[in-house]
Amino acid sequence: MNVISKPVTAGAAAPYTAFCDATISRLMPLHVVVSPSGVIVGTGPTLRKLGLGPEIEGSDIRDFFDILRPRTFNDIADLTTAMQGRIKLRLRHARHLPMTGLAVPLQGRDEVLLNLSFGFSVVDAVQTFDLTCGDFAATDLTVEMLYLIEAKSAAQTEQKRLNDRLQTAKLTAEEQAMTDDLTGLANRRSLDTALADGLMRGSEFALMQIDLDYFKAVNDTMGHAAGDMVLKTVADHLRTETRASDRVARIGGDEFMIILSRLTNHEDLMRLSNRMIKRLEEPIPFEGEVCRISGSIGISVAERSAETTSERMMREVDTALYASKYGGRGQATIYREGLEDFVESEAQRAAASGNNR
Amino acid sequence: MHGLINRSIQCFIRDNYGQSTWDTVARDAHLPALGFEAMLEYDDQVTHRMLDMVALHLDKSRPAVLEDVGTYLITHSNTRAIRRLLRFAGETFEEFLNSLDDLPDRVRLAVPDLQFPRLDTVEPGPNQVEVTLSEADPEFGFVLMGILRALADDYGALVFIDHKVDPEAGVILAINLLDAAFAEGNAFSLARTQIKEKAV
């Protein structure tokens, strides 16, 4: 490949320095011209900014560069042919900055021209040697590439921020969708999911519903603020009386539901229920007065059985809860076969005496 | 409107006039409660509503507000990424002006979906450049004027910029470069400084 169109004069070639290296320097500011023995006889202006010192010209190229590819070569002229002139090298004093180059013979001369480039290490190189636009040829796309890298990384940073914000918003929304605002307990949706989950895994657990007794009276006589206060206190009590593995939910105005994992022993369940009711009956101070409530509890136990469904457990809990209410409130009932009949007859008796619930 | 534009106006208000001013503008103009996202697209009406409200609150005309936004994009530390990207276009302001018609391509390379209007430049005389924005929203001319004035300052050049509206050609910015080396400009290095660039 002929890169220099200078007419070749007859006889011995003039020394390289007399040659028109100004043209090469403008086209290829990052070049070196090397004599057949490996001595650097010419350098481009950008190359001279790479911290090589003035002694570079006249030195052996191998004192300043490690030539990595081609791996072996006998003399400098081989560089122009070994890999079609492609070479890989690095500065000995900046080994973290690999460079690529193209070696071509200078027409009619013995010297070899090496045009160099930083390739992927260009961002580091620009930083390390404080290179400017003027250090690259006008046709070299390095500056445009640096622009592009910077533009894309700014866009990527912004994209990442957006993703972070969306992720946070998503988690918050998910949590809000699963939480009861007033008490911070799980809500109905969350409980339904956990119940279906527990049944699907075939785990042993009990489902408990607690309806507050006399809550309507508190709300009616002392106001909604008192009512809210009571609900929050109840939530605290239920949290205290359960374990972290249990799921406590507020599923309606004064209705709470709890999934008690691995708790199916009837005696344990009754003991826990009674403790909870006792807690609920503790007077709750509010603006100089006290609110008094109680709670009725219904429980259904999920044994290891294939036919247990969410609907069935909900129905059983409901029946057990009515049994507690008809039984005089402030008590707990665990569902058993035939309990429906008792509730049915109590309901009829209540209707007959004009009493509801 | 591209979210980047709405977000720029939001940051301009926040950084120059304070969060509470932005909150008021956002409330009065019924803007998204959490502000704009630079990577999303918004209805044009939202931008216009915002600009009307900003002009009202700052007691300035819309053109004055838009020119201030342009200045903000170049001068504020929170938007230094934009200043840097523009400074890539030339080592001197003269070079920058000479490559002004490349600006839309340059912007597209950075943000492919941002519609940046075509710029047609002519040189009516020495040190004079006229930019015609034939396809642009006429108001964009004010933003560009703010950007160019601030950039000239950044390069240390003294310029005079005139904003004209030609009924046929559209908005024309007549730029007169009075002194390319009027003051010492701000430094620009190809290498990014180690300070982390804050995104707008």
Side-chain angles (χ1 to χ4, degrees):
Chain A
M1 194 199 298
N2 301 330
V3 293
I4 304 299
S5 57
K6 185 176 191 298
V8 181
T9 46
Y16 174 76
T17 40
F19 204 61
C20 57
D21 65 341
T23 307
I24 304 183
S25 288
R26 285 201 70 190
L27 291 170
M28 295 173 256
L30 197 58
H31 79 269
V32 264
V33 178
V34 188
S35 78
S37 61
V39 175
I40 294 175
V41 294
T43 52
T46 303
L47 190 101
R48 291 195 290 272
K49 288 185 76 176
L50 306 186
L52 299 162
E55 65 273 19
I56 178 160
E57 295 208 12
S59 301
D60 193 293
I61 185 170
R62 285 156 289 205
D63 292 342
F64 288 92
F65 291 92
D66 295 328
I67 294 174
L68 308 171
R69 299 273 194 294
R71 282 185 212 275
T72 53
F73 56 95
N74 292 323
D75 57 41
I76 294 299
D78 286 354
L79 292 179
T80 65
T81 53
M83 295 165 59
Q84 290 85 42
R86 288 171 175 271
I87 51 174
K88 284 193 160 192
L89 67 171
R90 64 185 179 206
L91 286 164
R92 299 193 74 154
H93 71 289
R95 289 202 155 102
H96 64 295
L97 301 175
M99 301 178 81
T100 57
L102 183 65
V104 292
L106 285 173
Q107 191 192 17
R109 305 191 61 88
D110 298 330
E111 291 94 353
V112 167
L113 171 69
L114 288 181
N115 188 28
L116 304 179
S117 129
F118 280 106
F120 289 117
S121 64
V122 67
V123 174
D124 280 347
V126 162
Q127 176 110 38
T128 306
F129 303 118
D130 195 23
L131 302 179
T132 68
C133 297
D135 293 324
F136 298 94
T139 48
D140 185 339
L141 292 179
T142 299
V143 176
E144 280 82 351
M145 195 166 81
L146 293 174
Y147 167 84
L148 199 54
I149 291 169
E150 210 166 306
K152 291 300 166 194
S153 72
Q156 204 173 11
T157 307
E158 189 52 40
Q159 188 73 59
K160 193 173 174 314
R161 284 166 206 256
L162 172 60
N163 286 347
D164 289 348
R165 280 193 292 269
L166 291 179
Q167 178 66 7
T168 310
K170 178 168 163 271
L171 290 177
T172 311
E174 277 173 1
E175 190 167 319
Q176 279 169 355
M178 294 299 226
T179 312
D180 169 53
D181 279 345
L182 179 69
T183 60
L185 295 176
N187 61 12
R188 174 95 213 194
R189 185 204 311 261
S190 165
L191 183 107
D192 286 345
T193 310
L195 182 59
D197 241 38
L199 287 170
M200 200 173 65
R201 282 203 307 268
S203 36
E204 292 194 339
F205 62 91
L207 181 65
M208 173 189 276
Q209 181 168 342
I210 304 149
D211 276 15
L212 302 187
D213 297 322
Y214 321 116
F215 176 73
K216 195 172 174 298
V218 171
N219 242 350
D220 289 350
T221 59
M222 300 177 68
H224 287 290
D228 285 353
M229 172 75 193
V230 167
L231 291 171
K232 283 187 206 172
T233 309
V234 168
D236 287 342
H237 287 331
L238 297 183
R239 265 192 285 254
T240 314
E241 293 298 337
T242 50
R243 301 153 299 173
S245 55
D246 300 329
R247 176 78 56 116
V248 186
R250 178 174 170 231
I251 56 164
D254 60 351
E255 299 165 359
F256 297 82
M257 219 173 226
I258 307 176
I259 295 173
L260 297 154
S261 64
R262 297 182 309 281
L263 189 60
T264 52
N265 178 290
H266 287 210
E267 270 177 47
D268 292 344
L269 283 166
M270 286 310 284
R271 205 175 303 126
L272 173 67
S273 301
N274 291 330
R275 207 164 59 222
M276 280 180 174
I277 292 168
K278 227 167 140 187
R279 272 294 186 100
L280 296 181
E281 289 176 348
E282 286 172 10
I284 300 164
F286 180 79
E287 291 179 356
E289 295 183 67
V290 286
C291 313
R292 285 176 191 278
I293 56 156
S294 182
S296 296
I297 294 178
I299 299 167
S300 163
V301 177
E303 310 283 0
R304 279 190 197 282
S305 128
E307 69 247 62
T308 310
T309 61
S310 294
E311 292 74 28
R312 188 174 130 185
M313 287 196 80
M314 288 291 185
R315 217 167 38 238
E316 290 180 3
V317 162
D318 197 54
T319 304
L321 182 66
Y322 273 95
S324 291
K325 290 188 181 183
Y326 288 128
R329 305 188 188 213
Q331 53 182 271
T333 310
I334 299 174
Y335 177 81
R336 59 184 183 275
E337 294 270 336
L339 192 61
E340 286 88 355
D341 299 338
F342 167 73
V343 171
E344 182 69 19
S345 63
E346 287 296 312
Q348 279 168 10
R349 218 173 60 186
S353 66
N355 223 344
N356 54 14
R357 271 202 181 188
Chain B
M1 195 72 72
H2 198 286
L4 205 53
I5 293 172
N6 291 353
R7 176 101 185 138
S8 297
I9 300 169
Q10 176 188 343
C11 292
F12 157 73
I13 299 294
R14 183 199 64 196
D15 295 342
N16 283 1
Y17 299 94
Q19 182 67 37
S20 61
T21 306
W22 167 252
D23 290 341
T24 314
V25 168
R27 192 196 57 212
D28 293 354
H30 307 291
L31 305 177
L34 296 173
F36 294 103
E37 286 294 348
M39 310 303 275
L40 301 181
E41 190 75 31
Y42 296 89
D43 193 281
D44 284 1
Q45 284 312 311
V46 177
T47 312
H48 290 296
R49 217 160 58 218
M50 165 166 60
L51 282 173
D52 282 339
M53 200 51 73
V54 170
L56 191 73
H57 272 283
L58 302 185
D59 196 19
K60 287 183 175 191
S61 64
R62 262 172 76 138
V65 169
L66 290 166
E67 193 185 333
D68 286 354
V69 171
T71 309
Y72 163 80
L73 291 176
I74 304 303
T75 52
H76 201 276
S77 61
N78 285 353
T79 57
R80 67 166 81 94
I82 296 173
R83 171 204 168 253
R84 272 193 60 80
L85 289 176
L86 286 170
R87 285 284 301 250
F88 269 96
E91 283 207 276
T92 64
F93 190 64
E94 226 173 332
E95 260 183 62
F96 177 86
L97 284 181
N98 287 335
S99 68
L100 203 55
D101 17 14
D102 294 339
L103 193 59
D105 288 336
R106 206 166 260 287
V107 172
R108 204 176 53 236
L109 213 53
V111 192
D113 53 347
L114 179 62
Q115 301 283 326
F116 196 93
R118 205 181 78 206
L119 305 178
D120 296 306
T121 59
V122 287
E123 286 155 47
N127 295 321
Q128 288 178 2
V129 177
E130 267 191 18
V131 190
T132 308
L133 298 135
S134 45
E135 297 163 0
D137 183 318
E139 289 195 289
F140 177 71
F142 297 110
V143 180
L144 187 61
M145 188 159 72
I147 289 176
L148 292 176
R149 281 191 173 142
L151 256 184
D153 220 42
D154 199 63
Y155 275 105
L158 182 64
V159 292
F160 179 78
I161 304 178
D162 193 24
H163 180 280
K164 303 184 279 195
V165 181
D166 183 288
E168 303 218 333
V171 174
I172 298 173
L173 296 183
I175 306 159
N176 206 336
L177 180 59
L178 302 175
D179 187 351
F182 175 72
E184 192 169 341
N186 295 323
F188 172 75
S189 148
L190 278 189
R192 249 191 297 182
T193 46
Q194 291 305 306
I195 313 160
K196 208 157 158 42
E197 305 279 352
K198 233 173 130 180
V200 282

